[in-house]
Amino acid sequence: MARGRESFEKRARELKRQERATLKRERREDRSATEADDAPAVDEEALMLKYGQLSERREAGEIDEETFERERVAIFVELGLVPAAD
């Protein structure tokens, strides 16, 4: 009889664990959905145009490679293609 009681308690613990995991997942999804809604819209077309102009300036010799890379990374961060460096 003791074995049945242990099994029942084990199932109850597992059910409670699953419920907590579900609540945690739902909170995380709600939080990420809210953050996505709060994020400002990125004008991808304008940023790509800016990148094109930057490339043309580099090819024309108006800017050096270091400046090009710094501005290129800034554009890519704004587009969300690379994570921002801290």
Side-chain angles (χ1 to χ4, degrees), residues 36 39-48 74-81:
V42 175
D43 187 358
E44 292 180 16
E45 190 174 326
L47 287 171
M48 293 307 292
I75 291 170
F76 285 6
V77 166
E78 209 170 330
L79 283 168
L81 300 175

Side-chain angles (χ1 to χ4, degrees), residues 46-75:
L47 287 171
M48 293 307 292
L49 180 62
K50 184 177 178 181
Y51 179 70
Q53 293 169 345
L54 182 65
S55 296
E56 290 172 0
R57 289 177 54 207
R58 182 188 62 165
E59 290 174 13
E62 294 176 16
I63 59 172
D64 62 3
E65 195 66 29
E66 184 179 331
T67 303
F68 171 77
E69 280 300 314
R70 186 176 52 250
E71 292 184 26
R72 181 187 69 84
V73 169
I75 291 170

Side-chain angles (χ1 to χ4, degrees), residues 11-26:
R11 284 192 304 268
R13 282 192 310 267
E14 180 63 21
L15 182 60
K16 191 162 196 79
R17 186 192 66 78
Q18 289 175 352
E19 289 172 351
R20 284 192 310 262
T22 300
L23 288 173
K24 185 177 179 180
R25 184 177 50 250
E26 288 172 353

